[in-house]
Structures are given as structure tokens and as C-alpha cells.
């Protein structure tokens, strides 16, 4: 495993990754208002062929757009991120697909899950 944009404060112990994400970090490519960001912490490994991913994600969501989840990335212009995102004091299941341009989809959750 390695980092893309390694955060200053993180710890890996007993198969549990704990990250304090720096503010104002994210991933977006050319939204309808021109926003671009490729500066969020991303802990990853490179895989070829078929694979299965199983994770448990627990986060503390306090500020607009706080999010945590999975990212599948080819490069800065081709990726998918998905997980929980906190928007307007509501928890959402959120997915952003990017192929040159980012497209955001959210579904409001009926509860505030501790983990997914």
C-alpha cells in the first residue's frame, strides 16, 4: 500500500487505517463551474484483473462535504469514488464518476450510520 497525497497525521494498526484528513482536500475534474481538485489523501495498491474489495468505513462527519469511502483510480482524469458524504447536515451515499469530467450522484440516507 502507498499514498497519493499522504496526510500529515495517519496510523495503520491491526488492519485499521486512521486518517486525519487535511481541510480543503478533494477529488474533482472540470465540474460545470470549472472546479478541479486532486489533493485528497488516497491510500491504495495497484491491482490488475478481477478483484473483490471488502472494507468497513467509520468516519466523523462535521463539515460540509466531509466524506469517506473507496476510490478506484486509473489516473487523475479517470476514477470513481464512493462512500458516505455529509452535505447540508444530511448523510448521503455519494458517488463521483470521472472520465475527464466529474459527475456527482447522491442518495439521502434515512439514518446516520456509524459505519458502512
Amino acid at each position: 500500500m502507498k499514498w497519493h497525497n499522504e496526510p500529515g497525521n495517519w496510523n495503520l494498526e491491526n488492519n485499521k487505517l486512521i486518517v486525519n484528513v487535511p481541510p480543503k482536500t478533494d477529488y474533482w475534474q472540470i465540474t460545470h463551474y470549472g472546479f478541479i481538485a486532486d489533493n485528497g489523501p488516497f491510500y491504495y495498491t495497484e491491482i490488475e484483473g478481477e478483484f473483490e474489495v471488502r472494507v468497513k468505513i467509520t468516519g466523523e462527519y462535521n463539515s460540509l462535504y466531509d466524506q469517506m469511502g473507496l476510490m478506484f483510480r486509473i489516473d487523475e482524469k479517470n476514477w470513481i469514488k464512493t462512500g458516505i458524504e455529509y452535505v447540508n447536515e444530511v448523510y448521503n451515499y455519494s458517488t463521483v464518476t470521472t472520465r475527464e469530467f466529474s459527475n456527482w450522484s447522491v442518495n439521502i440516507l434515512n439514518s446516520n450510520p456509524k459505519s458502512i
Side-chain angles (χ1 to χ4, degrees):
M1 300 289 293
K2 54 189 166 184
W3 283 103
H4 177 73
N5 301 318
E6 182 176 352
N9 189 0
W10 66 277
N11 184 38
L12 180 61
E13 189 174 309
N14 298 324
N15 286 326
K16 186 183 287 187
L17 176 63
I18 299 171
V19 180
N20 290 320
V21 178
K24 301 186 188 299
T25 59
D26 208 339
Y27 287 94
W28 285 98
Q29 285 296 319
I30 313 174
T31 62
H32 65 279
Y33 50 90
F35 183 70
I36 295 174
D38 194 58
N39 62 350
F42 175 45
Y43 193 59
Y44 71 99
T45 189
E46 296 180 24
I47 298 174
E48 292 186 23
E50 293 184 24
F51 63 93
E52 182 176 306
V53 177
R54 291 182 186 208
V55 298
K56 179 180 179 181
I57 299 167
T58 304
E60 293 182 17
Y61 310 94
N62 301 307
S63 299
L64 182 63
Y65 305 127
D66 279 356
Q67 58 189 290
M68 186 179 301
L70 292 174
M71 182 179 216
F72 303 96
R73 179 178 168 110
I74 296 170
D75 57 32
E76 71 277 3
K77 296 194 183 276
N78 297 279
W79 49 263
I80 297 170
K81 67 177 182 174
T82 187
I84 299 294
E85 186 163 2
Y86 189 67
V87 182
N88 298 327
E89 300 182 7
V90 175
Y91 292 81
N92 297 271
Y93 184 73
S94 171
T95 300
V96 177
T97 57
T98 299
R99 185 165 183 189
E100 300 288 327
F101 299 88
S102 291
N103 187 352
W104 184 32
S105 173
V106 294
N107 288 306
I108 295 173
L109 297 173
N110 294 329
S111 64
N112 300 341
K114 179 179 176 184
S115 301
I116 61 166

